[in-house]
Amino acid sequence: MRQVLADQYAEFAAARAGHLYRSACLLTAGDTYLAEDLVQETLGRLYISWHRVARVGNPAGYAQTVLTRAFLAHQRRRSSKERATAEFPEQAYADHGDVPLRLTLLQALARLPAKDRAVVVLRYWEDRSIEETADAMNASSSAVRTRCTRALGRLRELLGEDLGEYARF
C-alpha cells in the first residue's frame, strides 16, 4: 500500500511541478529562487499528507492552495523582505514570447502587496472563482473582490489603461 501511494505521489509531483513553479514565479514576481523554495515546501507538505490528499477529488487544486498559503506565510516573516539583488537574473526565454513584456509584467506584479498579487495570480492566472480564491487565502469573498478591484486598479496605474496588450501573457 505504501509503495502504491509513493508511486502515485511521484507521478503527481512530476506532472504538477512545472505548473506549480510557474505559479510560484508569478506569486513571487519573478524571484525564481524563492519560487523553487515554495514549490519544494509545497511538495514536501503534500508528501507528508499524501495518504489524505490522494483521496481528495482535486489534488492539483489542493497543491495550489498549499502553494498560495506557503507564499503568504513567507510574506509575513520578517526576513521575507531580504533580497540579494534588485536585478532580475539573466534568463533565456526560448519560445516564450516577448521578454521585455514579461519583465514589465513581473515588475508590475512585484509592486503589488503580497495578498493583492496572490489574488491576481489565483483569479487570472489560475482562473479560479472568487469563492475558490477566498478559500485558498482564508479570506471572505468580499475581501477577494475588494483586493481584485484594488490590484487591477494598481496594475492599470503601473501599466497604463491598455491592459489588453498584456492579457496574452
Side-chain angles (χ1 to χ4, degrees):
M1 181 66 174
R2 285 185 183 179
Q3 186 60 40
V4 171
L5 285 174
D7 291 343
Q8 286 176 346
Y9 171 78
E11 182 179 325
F12 174 82
R16 294 300 298 175
H19 184 77
L20 289 170
Y21 177 72
R22 286 187 297 277
S23 294
C25 282
L26 288 173
L27 285 170
T28 62
D31 186 342
T32 57
Y33 302 111
L34 177 57
E36 289 172 354
D37 290 345
L38 290 173
V39 170
Q40 287 301 313
E41 185 174 341
T42 298
L43 292 176
R45 288 180 185 180
L46 286 173
Y47 181 77
I48 290 170
S49 60
W50 185 251
H51 63 281
R52 288 189 320 264
V53 175
R55 293 182 295 209
V56 173
N58 184 8
Y62 185 88
Q64 189 64 39
T65 298
V66 171
L67 175 69
T68 302
R69 290 182 181 171
F71 166 72
L72 292 173
H74 175 76
Q75 291 301 306
R76 284 190 294 268
R77 291 185 203 127
R78 177 172 286 169
S79 64
S80 72
K81 304 300 181 216
E82 296 176 6
R83 298 215 33 142
T85 180
E87 302 291 323
F88 284 107
E90 292 290 326
Q91 297 177 346
Y93 287 102
D95 299 320
H96 291 298
D98 189 11
V99 174
L101 175 64
R102 287 177 170 269
L103 291 175
T104 300
L105 287 172
L106 287 174
Q107 288 169 347
L109 281 171
R111 295 182 68 188
L112 293 177
K115 288 185 180 182
D116 288 354
R117 191 178 329 141
V119 165
V120 169
V121 171
L122 288 172
R123 288 280 294 134
Y124 303 106
W125 172 257
E126 291 293 324
D127 198 29
R128 289 188 176 205
S129 69
I130 290 174
E131 291 75 25
E132 290 171 330
T133 303
D135 184 51
M137 295 183 63
N138 281 336
S140 68
S141 296
S142 60
V144 168
R145 283 188 204 93
T146 301
R147 285 197 179 278
C148 279
T149 302
R150 181 185 313 141
L152 291 177
R154 180 71 175 134
L155 285 174
R156 280 188 188 93
E157 289 174 14
L158 295 171
L159 300 173
E161 289 297 321
D162 297 328
L163 282 178
E165 172 188 342
Y166 302 105
R168 59 187 167 88
F169 173 67

Coordinates of all heavy atoms in Angstrom, one line a residue, residues 37-88:
D37 N 12.0 27.4 -3.8 CA 11.8 27.0 -2.4 C 10.3 26.8 -2.1 O 10.0 25.8 -1.4 CB 12.3 28.1 -1.5 CG 13.8 28.2 -1.5 OD1 14.5 27.3 -2.0 OD2 14.3 29.3 -1.1
L38 N 9.4 27.6 -2.6 CA 8.0 27.4 -2.3 C 7.5 26.2 -2.9 O 6.6 25.5 -2.3 CB 7.2 28.6 -2.8 CG 7.4 30.0 -2.1 CD1 6.7 31.1 -2.8 CD2 6.9 29.9 -0.7
V39 N 7.9 25.8 -4.1 CA 7.5 24.6 -4.7 C 8.0 23.4 -3.9 O 7.2 22.4 -3.7 CB 7.9 24.5 -6.2 CG1 7.7 23.1 -6.8 CG2 7.2 25.5 -7.1
Q40 N 9.2 23.4 -3.5 CA 9.7 22.3 -2.7 C 9.0 22.2 -1.4 O 8.7 21.1 -0.9 CB 11.2 22.5 -2.4 CG 12.1 22.3 -3.6 CD 11.9 20.9 -4.2 OE1 12.0 19.9 -3.4 NE2 11.7 20.8 -5.5
E41 N 8.7 23.3 -0.7 CA 7.9 23.3 0.5 C 6.5 22.7 0.3 O 6.0 21.9 1.0 CB 7.8 24.7 1.1 CG 7.1 24.7 2.4 CD 7.1 26.1 3.1 OE1 8.0 27.0 2.7 OE2 6.3 26.3 4.0
T42 N 5.9 23.1 -0.8 CA 4.6 22.6 -1.2 C 4.6 21.1 -1.4 O 3.8 20.4 -0.9 CB 4.0 23.3 -2.5 OG1 3.9 24.7 -2.2 CG2 2.7 22.7 -2.9
L43 N 5.6 20.6 -2.2 CA 5.7 19.2 -2.5 C 6.0 18.4 -1.2 O 5.5 17.3 -1.1 CB 6.7 19.0 -3.6 CG 6.3 19.5 -5.0 CD1 7.4 19.3 -6.0 CD2 5.0 18.8 -5.5
G44 N 6.8 19.0 -0.4 CA 7.1 18.3 0.9 C 5.9 18.2 1.8 O 5.7 17.1 2.4
R45 N 5.1 19.2 1.9 CA 3.9 19.2 2.7 C 2.9 18.2 2.1 O 2.2 17.4 2.8 CB 3.2 20.5 2.7 CG 4.0 21.5 3.6 CD 3.2 22.8 3.7 NE 4.0 23.8 4.4 CZ 3.6 25.0 4.6 NH1 2.5 25.5 4.1 NH2 4.4 25.9 5.3
L46 N 2.8 18.1 0.7 CA 1.9 17.2 0.1 C 2.4 15.7 0.4 O 1.6 14.8 0.6 CB 1.9 17.4 -1.4 CG 1.1 18.6 -1.8 CD1 1.2 18.8 -3.3 CD2 -0.4 18.5 -1.5
Y47 N 3.7 15.5 0.3 CA 4.2 14.2 0.6 C 3.9 13.7 1.9 O 3.4 12.5 2.1 CB 5.7 14.2 0.4 CG 6.3 12.8 0.6 CD1 6.2 11.8 -0.4 CD2 7.0 12.4 1.8 CE1 6.8 10.5 -0.2 CE2 7.5 11.2 2.0 CZ 7.4 10.2 1.0 OH 7.9 9.0 1.2
I48 N 4.0 14.5 2.9 CA 3.7 14.2 4.3 C 2.2 13.7 4.4 O 1.9 12.8 5.2 CB 4.0 15.3 5.3 CG1 5.5 15.5 5.3 CG2 3.4 15.1 6.6 CD1 6.0 16.7 6.0
S49 N 1.3 14.4 3.8 CA -0.1 14.1 3.9 C -0.7 13.5 2.7 O -1.9 13.6 2.5 CB -0.9 15.4 4.3 OG -0.7 16.4 3.3
W50 N 0.1 12.9 1.8 CA -0.4 12.3 0.6 C -1.5 11.3 0.8 O -2.4 11.1 0.0 CB 0.7 11.7 -0.3 CG 0.3 11.3 -1.6 CD1 0.1 10.0 -2.1 CD2 -0.2 12.1 -2.7 NE1 -0.4 10.0 -3.3 CE2 -0.6 11.3 -3.7 CE3 -0.3 13.5 -2.8 CZ2 -1.1 11.8 -4.9 CZ3 -0.8 14.0 -4.0 CH2 -1.2 13.2 -5.0
H51 N -1.4 10.5 1.9 CA -2.5 9.5 2.1 C -3.9 10.1 2.2 O -4.8 9.5 1.8 CB -2.1 8.7 3.3 CG -2.1 9.5 4.6 ND1 -1.0 10.3 5.0 CD2 -3.0 9.6 5.6 CE1 -1.3 10.9 6.1 NE2 -2.5 10.5 6.5
R52 N -3.9 11.4 2.7 CA -5.2 12.1 2.7 C -5.5 12.8 1.4 O -6.6 12.9 0.9 CB -5.3 13.1 3.9 CG -5.4 12.5 5.2 CD -5.6 13.5 6.3 NE -4.8 14.7 6.1 CZ -3.7 15.0 6.7 NH1 -3.1 14.1 7.5 NH2 -3.1 16.1 6.5
V53 N -4.4 13.4 0.9 CA -4.6 14.2 -0.4 C -5.0 13.4 -1.5 O -5.8 13.8 -2.4 CB -3.2 15.0 -0.7 CG1 -3.3 15.7 -2.0 CG2 -2.9 15.9 0.5
A54 N -4.5 12.2 -1.6 CA -4.8 11.3 -2.7 C -6.3 11.0 -2.8 O -6.8 10.7 -3.9 CB -4.0 10.0 -2.6
R55 N -7.0 11.1 -1.7 CA -8.4 10.8 -1.7 C -9.2 12.1 -2.1 O -10.4 12.0 -2.3 CB -8.9 10.3 -0.3 CG -8.3 9.0 0.0 CD -8.8 8.5 1.3 NE -8.2 9.4 2.3 CZ -8.0 9.0 3.6 NH1 -8.3 7.8 4.0 NH2 -7.5 9.9 4.4
V56 N -8.6 13.2 -2.1 CA -9.3 14.5 -2.4 C -9.7 14.4 -3.9 O -8.9 13.9 -4.7 CB -8.4 15.7 -2.2 CG1 -9.0 17.0 -2.7 CG2 -8.1 15.8 -0.7
G57 N -10.8 15.0 -4.2 CA -11.2 15.0 -5.6 C -10.4 15.8 -6.6 O -10.3 15.5 -7.7
N58 N -9.6 16.8 -6.0 CA -8.8 17.7 -6.9 C -7.5 17.9 -6.2 O -7.2 19.0 -5.6 CB -9.6 19.0 -7.1 CG -8.8 19.9 -8.1 OD1 -7.8 19.5 -8.6 ND2 -9.3 21.1 -8.2
P59 N -6.5 17.0 -6.3 CA -5.2 17.2 -5.6 C -4.4 18.3 -6.2 O -3.7 19.0 -5.5 CB -4.5 15.9 -5.8 CG -5.3 15.1 -6.7 CD -6.6 15.6 -6.8
A60 N -4.7 18.6 -7.5 CA -4.0 19.8 -8.1 C -4.4 21.1 -7.5 O -3.6 22.0 -7.2 CB -4.2 19.8 -9.6
G61 N -5.7 21.2 -7.2 CA -6.2 22.4 -6.6 C -5.7 22.5 -5.1 O -5.4 23.6 -4.6
Y62 N -5.6 21.4 -4.5 CA -5.1 21.3 -3.1 C -3.7 21.8 -3.1 O -3.3 22.6 -2.2 CB -5.3 19.9 -2.6 CG -4.9 19.8 -1.1 CD1 -5.8 20.0 -0.1 CD2 -3.6 19.4 -0.8 CE1 -5.5 19.8 1.2 CE2 -3.2 19.3 0.6 CZ -4.2 19.5 1.6 OH -3.8 19.4 2.9
A63 N -2.9 21.3 -4.1 CA -1.5 21.7 -4.1 C -1.4 23.2 -4.4 O -0.5 23.9 -3.8 CB -0.8 20.9 -5.3
Q64 N -2.2 23.8 -5.2 CA -2.2 25.2 -5.5 C -2.5 26.0 -4.2 O -1.9 27.0 -3.9 CB -3.1 25.6 -6.6 CG -3.0 27.0 -7.1 CD -1.6 27.2 -7.7 OE1 -1.1 26.4 -8.4 NE2 -1.1 28.4 -7.5
T65 N -3.5 25.5 -3.5 CA -3.8 26.1 -2.2 C -2.7 26.1 -1.2 O -2.3 27.1 -0.6 CB -5.1 25.5 -1.6 OG1 -6.2 25.6 -2.5 CG2 -5.4 26.1 -0.2
V66 N -2.0 25.0 -1.1 CA -0.8 24.8 -0.2 C 0.3 25.8 -0.7 O 0.9 26.5 0.1 CB -0.3 23.4 -0.2 CG1 1.0 23.3 0.5 CG2 -1.3 22.5 0.4
L67 N 0.5 25.9 -2.0 CA 1.5 26.8 -2.5 C 1.2 28.3 -2.2 O 2.0 29.0 -1.7 CB 1.6 26.7 -4.1 CG 2.5 27.7 -4.7 CD1 4.0 27.4 -4.4 CD2 2.3 27.6 -6.2
T68 N -0.1 28.7 -2.4 CA -0.5 30.0 -2.0 C -0.3 30.3 -0.6 O 0.2 31.4 -0.2 CB -2.0 30.3 -2.5 OG1 -2.1 30.0 -3.9 CG2 -2.4 31.7 -2.2
R69 N -0.7 29.4 0.3 CA -0.6 29.6 1.7 C 0.9 29.7 2.1 O 1.2 30.4 3.0 CB -1.4 28.6 2.5 CG -2.9 28.8 2.3 CD -3.7 27.8 3.1 NE -5.1 28.1 2.9 CZ -6.1 27.3 3.2 NH1 -5.8 26.2 3.9 NH2 -7.3 27.6 3.0
A70 N 1.7 28.9 1.5 CA 3.1 28.9 1.8 C 3.7 30.3 1.4 O 4.5 30.8 2.2 CB 3.9 27.8 1.1
F71 N 3.3 30.8 0.3 CA 3.7 32.1 -0.2 C 3.3 33.2 0.8 O 4.1 34.0 1.2 CB 3.2 32.4 -1.6 CG 3.3 33.9 -1.9 CD1 4.6 34.4 -2.2 CD2 2.2 34.7 -2.0 CE1 4.7 35.8 -2.6 CE2 2.3 36.0 -2.3 CZ 3.6 36.6 -2.6
L72 N 2.0 33.2 1.2 CA 1.5 34.2 2.1 C 2.2 34.1 3.5 O 2.5 35.1 4.1 CB 0.0 34.1 2.3 CG -0.8 34.5 1.0 CD1 -2.2 34.2 1.2 CD2 -0.5 35.9 0.6
A73 N 2.5 32.9 4.0 CA 3.2 32.7 5.2 C 4.6 33.2 5.1 O 5.1 33.9 6.1 CB 3.2 31.2 5.6
H74 N 5.3 33.0 4.0 CA 6.6 33.5 3.8 C 6.6 35.1 3.8 O 7.5 35.7 4.4 CB 7.2 33.1 2.4 CG 8.5 33.7 2.1 ND1 9.7 33.3 2.7 CD2 8.8 34.7 1.3 CE1 10.7 34.0 2.3 NE2 10.2 34.9 1.4
Q75 N 5.6 35.7 3.2 CA 5.5 37.1 3.2 C 5.3 37.8 4.6 O 5.7 38.9 4.8 CB 4.4 37.6 2.3 CG 4.6 37.3 0.8 CD 5.9 38.0 0.3 OE1 6.0 39.2 0.4 NE2 6.8 37.2 -0.3
R76 N 4.7 37.0 5.5 CA 4.5 37.5 6.8 C 5.8 37.5 7.7 O 5.9 38.2 8.7 CB 3.4 36.7 7.5 CG 2.0 37.1 7.0 CD 1.0 36.4 7.9 NE 1.0 35.0 7.9 CZ 0.2 34.3 7.0 NH1 -0.6 34.9 6.2 NH2 0.3 33.0 7.0
R77 N 6.8 36.7 7.3 CA 8.0 36.6 8.0 C 8.8 37.9 7.9 O 8.9 38.5 6.8 CB 8.8 35.4 7.5 CG 8.3 34.1 7.9 CD 9.2 33.0 7.5 NE 8.4 31.8 7.3 CZ 8.4 31.0 6.2 NH1 9.2 31.3 5.2 NH2 7.6 30.0 6.1
R78 N 9.5 38.3 8.9 CA 10.3 39.5 8.9 C 11.4 39.4 7.8 O 11.7 40.3 7.1 CB 10.9 39.7 10.2 CG 11.8 40.9 10.3 CD 12.2 41.3 11.7 NE 11.1 41.8 12.3 CZ 11.0 42.1 13.6 NH1 12.0 41.7 14.4 NH2 9.9 42.6 14.1
S79 N 12.0 38.2 7.7 CA 13.1 38.1 6.8 C 12.7 37.9 5.3 O 13.5 37.9 4.4 CB 13.9 36.8 7.1 OG 13.1 35.6 7.0
S80 N 11.4 37.9 5.0 CA 10.9 37.7 3.6 C 11.3 38.9 2.7 O 11.2 38.8 1.5 CB 9.5 37.4 3.6 OG 8.7 38.6 3.9
K81 N 11.6 40.1 3.3 CA 11.8 41.3 2.5 C 13.3 41.3 2.1 O 13.7 42.2 1.3 CB 11.5 42.5 3.3 CG 10.1 42.6 3.8 CD 9.1 42.5 2.7 CE 7.7 42.5 3.2 NZ 6.7 41.7 2.5
E82 N 14.1 40.4 2.5 CA 15.5 40.4 2.1 C 15.7 40.0 0.7 O 15.0 39.0 0.3 CB 16.3 39.5 3.0 CG 16.4 40.0 4.4 CD 17.1 39.0 5.3 OE1 17.7 38.0 4.8 OE2 17.1 39.2 6.5
R83 N 16.5 40.7 -0.1 CA 16.7 40.3 -1.5 C 18.2 40.5 -1.7 O 18.8 41.5 -1.4 CB 15.9 41.3 -2.4 CG 14.4 41.1 -2.2 CD 13.6 41.3 -3.3 NE 14.1 40.8 -4.6 CZ 13.3 40.2 -5.5 NH1 12.1 40.0 -5.2 NH2 13.8 39.8 -6.6
A84 N 18.7 39.5 -2.4 CA 20.2 39.5 -2.7 C 20.5 40.6 -3.7 O 21.6 41.2 -3.7 CB 20.6 38.2 -3.2
T85 N 19.6 40.9 -4.7 CA 19.8 41.8 -5.7 C 18.5 42.4 -6.2 O 17.5 41.8 -6.1 CB 20.6 41.2 -6.9 OG1 20.8 42.2 -7.9 CG2 19.8 40.1 -7.5
A86 N 18.6 43.6 -6.7 CA 17.4 44.3 -7.3 C 17.2 43.9 -8.8 O 16.2 44.3 -9.4 CB 17.5 45.8 -7.1
E87 N 18.2 43.3 -9.4 CA 18.2 42.9 -10.8 C 17.6 41.5 -11.0 O 17.8 40.6 -10.2 CB 19.6 43.0 -11.4 CG 20.3 44.3 -11.2 CD 19.7 45.4 -12.0 OE1 19.2 45.1 -13.2 OE2 19.6 46.5 -11.6
F88 N 16.9 41.4 -12.1 CA 16.4 40.0 -12.4 C 17.6 39.2 -12.9 O 18.5 39.8 -13.6 CB 15.4 40.1 -13.6 CG 14.0 40.5 -13.1 CD1 13.5 41.8 -13.4 CD2 13.3 39.7 -12.3 CE1 12.3 42.2 -12.9 CE2 12.0 40.0 -11.8 CZ 11.5 41.3 -12.2

